[in-house]
Coordinates of all heavy atoms in Angstrom, one line a residue:
D1 N 115.3 90.2 102.1 CA 114.2 90.1 101.2 C 114.5 89.4 100.0 O 113.6 88.9 99.2 CB 113.5 91.4 100.9 CG 114.5 92.3 100.2 OD1 115.7 92.1 100.1 OD2 114.0 93.4 99.6
K2 N 115.8 89.2 99.7 CA 116.3 88.6 98.4 C 115.9 89.2 97.1 O 116.0 88.7 96.1 CB 115.8 87.1 98.4 CG 116.2 86.3 99.6 CD 117.7 86.1 99.8 CE 118.1 85.3 101.1 NZ 119.6 85.2 101.2
V3 N 115.4 90.5 97.2 CA 114.9 91.2 96.0 C 116.0 91.9 95.4 O 116.8 92.6 96.0 CB 113.8 92.2 96.4 CG1 113.3 93.0 95.2 CG2 112.6 91.4 97.0
T4 N 116.2 91.7 94.0 CA 117.2 92.4 93.3 C 116.6 93.6 92.6 O 115.4 93.8 92.6 CB 117.8 91.5 92.2 OG1 116.7 91.2 91.3 CG2 118.3 90.2 92.8
K5 N 117.5 94.4 92.0 CA 117.0 95.7 91.4 C 116.2 95.3 90.2 O 115.2 95.9 89.9 CB 118.3 96.5 90.9 CG 117.9 97.7 90.1 CD 119.1 98.5 89.7 CE 118.8 99.8 89.0 NZ 120.0 100.6 88.7
D6 N 116.5 94.3 89.4 CA 115.8 93.9 88.2 C 114.4 93.4 88.6 O 113.4 93.8 88.0 CB 116.5 92.8 87.5 CG 117.8 93.3 86.7 OD1 117.9 94.5 86.5 OD2 118.6 92.5 86.4
E7 N 114.3 92.6 89.7 CA 113.0 92.1 90.1 C 112.1 93.3 90.6 O 110.9 93.3 90.3 CB 113.2 91.1 91.2 CG 113.8 89.8 90.8 CD 114.2 88.9 91.9 OE1 114.1 89.4 93.1 OE2 114.5 87.7 91.7
Y8 N 112.7 94.2 91.4 CA 111.9 95.4 91.9 C 111.4 96.2 90.7 O 110.3 96.8 90.7 CB 112.7 96.1 92.8 CG 111.9 97.2 93.6 CD1 111.3 96.8 94.8 CD2 111.7 98.5 93.3 CE1 110.6 97.7 95.6 CE2 111.1 99.4 94.0 CZ 110.5 99.0 95.2 OH 109.7 99.9 95.9
G9 N 112.3 96.4 89.7 CA 112.0 97.2 88.5 C 110.9 96.7 87.6 O 110.4 97.4 86.8
K10 N 110.6 95.4 87.7 CA 109.6 94.9 86.8 C 108.2 95.5 87.0 O 107.4 95.7 86.1 CB 109.5 93.3 87.0 CG 110.7 92.6 86.5 CD 110.6 91.1 86.7 CE 111.8 90.3 86.3 NZ 111.7 88.9 86.5
N11 N 107.9 95.9 88.2 CA 106.7 96.6 88.6 C 107.0 97.9 89.3 O 106.5 98.2 90.4 CB 105.7 95.7 89.4 CG 105.3 94.5 88.7 OD1 104.6 94.5 87.7 ND2 105.7 93.3 89.2
L12 N 107.9 98.7 88.7 CA 108.4 99.8 89.4 C 107.4 100.9 89.8 O 107.4 101.3 91.0 CB 109.5 100.5 88.5 CG 110.2 101.7 89.1 CD1 111.0 101.3 90.4 CD2 111.2 102.3 88.1
D13 N 106.5 101.2 88.9 CA 105.5 102.2 89.2 C 104.6 101.9 90.4 O 104.4 102.6 91.2 CB 104.7 102.5 87.9 CG 105.4 103.2 86.8 OD1 106.5 103.9 87.1 OD2 105.0 103.1 85.6
R14 N 104.1 100.6 90.3 CA 103.2 100.2 91.4 C 104.0 100.1 92.7 O 103.5 100.5 93.8 CB 102.7 98.8 91.0 CG 101.7 98.3 92.1 CD 101.3 96.8 91.8 NE 102.3 96.0 92.0 CZ 102.3 94.6 91.7 NH1 101.3 94.1 91.1 NH2 103.4 93.9 92.0
N15 N 105.3 99.5 92.7 CA 106.1 99.4 93.9 C 106.4 100.8 94.5 O 106.3 100.9 95.7 CB 107.3 98.6 93.6 CG 107.1 97.2 93.3 OD1 106.1 96.6 93.7 ND2 108.0 96.6 92.5
I16 N 106.7 101.7 93.7 CA 107.1 103.1 94.2 C 105.8 103.7 94.8 O 105.9 104.4 95.8 CB 107.7 103.9 93.1 CG1 109.0 103.4 92.7 CG2 107.9 105.4 93.5 CD1 110.1 103.4 93.8
K17 N 104.7 103.6 94.0 CA 103.4 104.3 94.6 C 103.0 103.7 95.9 O 102.6 104.4 96.9 CB 102.3 104.0 93.6 CG 102.3 104.9 92.4 CD 101.1 104.7 91.5 CE 101.2 105.6 90.3 NZ 100.0 105.4 89.4
E18 N 103.2 102.4 96.1 CA 102.9 101.7 97.4 C 103.9 102.2 98.4 O 103.5 102.4 99.6 CB 102.9 100.2 97.2 CG 101.7 99.6 96.4 CD 101.8 98.1 96.2 OE1 102.9 97.6 96.7 OE2 100.9 97.6 95.6
L19 N 105.1 102.3 98.1 CA 106.1 102.7 99.0 C 105.9 104.1 99.5 O 105.9 104.4 100.7 CB 107.6 102.6 98.4 CG 108.7 103.2 99.1 CD1 108.8 102.5 100.5 CD2 110.0 103.0 98.4
V20 N 105.6 105.1 98.6 CA 105.2 106.4 98.9 C 104.1 106.5 99.9 O 104.0 107.2 100.9 CB 105.0 107.3 97.7 CG1 104.5 108.6 98.1 CG2 106.3 107.5 96.9
Q21 N 103.0 105.7 99.6 CA 101.8 105.7 100.5 C 102.2 105.2 101.9 O 101.7 105.8 102.8 CB 100.8 104.8 99.8 CG 99.4 104.8 100.6 CD 98.8 106.2 100.6 OE1 98.9 106.9 99.6 NE2 98.3 106.6 101.7
R22 N 103.0 104.2 102.0 CA 103.4 103.7 103.3 C 104.3 104.7 104.1 O 104.2 104.9 105.2 CB 104.2 102.4 103.2 CG 103.3 101.2 103.0 CD 104.0 99.9 102.9 NE 104.7 99.7 101.6 CZ 105.9 99.4 101.4 NH1 106.7 99.1 102.4 NH2 106.4 99.2 100.2
L23 N 105.1 105.5 103.3 CA 105.9 106.6 103.9 C 105.0 107.7 104.4 O 105.2 108.3 105.5 CB 106.9 107.1 103.0 CG 108.1 106.2 102.6 CD1 108.9 106.6 101.4 CD2 109.0 106.0 103.8
K24 N 103.9 108.0 103.6 CA 103.0 109.1 104.0 C 102.2 108.8 105.3 O 102.1 109.6 106.2 CB 102.1 109.4 102.9 CG 102.7 110.2 101.7 CD 101.7 110.5 100.7 CE 102.3 111.4 99.6 NZ 101.4 111.8 98.5
N25 N 101.7 107.6 105.3 CA 100.8 107.2 106.5 C 101.6 106.5 107.6 O 101.1 106.0 108.6 CB 99.7 106.3 106.1 CG 100.2 105.0 105.4 OD1 101.2 104.4 105.7 ND2 99.3 104.4 104.5
K26 N 102.9 106.5 107.4 CA 103.9 106.0 108.5 C 103.7 104.5 108.8 O 104.0 104.1 110.0 CB 103.8 106.9 109.7 CG 104.4 108.3 109.6 CD 104.5 109.0 110.8 CE 105.1 110.4 110.7 NZ 105.3 111.1 112.0
S27 N 103.2 103.8 107.9 CA 103.1 102.4 108.0 C 104.4 101.7 107.6 O 104.5 100.4 107.7 CB 101.9 101.8 107.3 OG 102.0 102.0 105.9
F28 N 105.3 102.5 107.0 CA 106.6 101.9 106.5 C 107.4 101.4 107.7 O 107.6 102.1 108.6 CB 107.3 103.0 105.7 CG 108.7 102.5 105.3 CD1 108.8 101.7 104.1 CD2 109.8 103.0 105.9 CE1 110.1 101.3 103.7 CE2 111.0 102.6 105.5 CZ 111.2 101.8 104.3
K29 N 108.0 100.3 107.5 CA 108.9 99.7 108.5 C 110.1 99.0 107.8 O 109.9 98.1 107.1 CB 108.1 98.6 109.4 CG 108.9 98.1 110.5 CD 108.1 97.1 111.3 CE 109.0 96.5 112.5 NZ 108.2 95.5 113.3
P30 N 111.2 99.6 108.1 CA 112.5 99.1 107.5 C 112.7 97.6 107.9 O 112.4 97.3 109.1 CB 113.6 100.0 108.0 CG 112.9 101.2 108.5 CD 111.6 100.8 109.0

């Protein structure tokens, strides 16, 4: 994905919320 820690952290709250939602509804795909 070429994503770094700094890039992911710029919108951390939104990214984490979306990640949790995908984990809950099992739409998450590694």
Side-chain angles (χ1 to χ4, degrees):
D1 61 347
K2 305 296 184 182
V3 176
T4 65
K5 179 178 181 177
D6 290 339
E7 290 171 350
Y8 194 87
K10 289 178 181 178
N11 296 296
L12 183 62
D13 290 339
R14 186 188 68 187
N15 289 335
I16 294 296
K17 283 183 180 180
E18 291 178 355
L19 175 58
V20 170
Q21 187 60 40
R22 281 183 283 134
L23 288 168
K24 282 183 178 180
N25 60 30
K26 291 189 177 182
S27 63
F28 175 78
K29 185 178 180 181

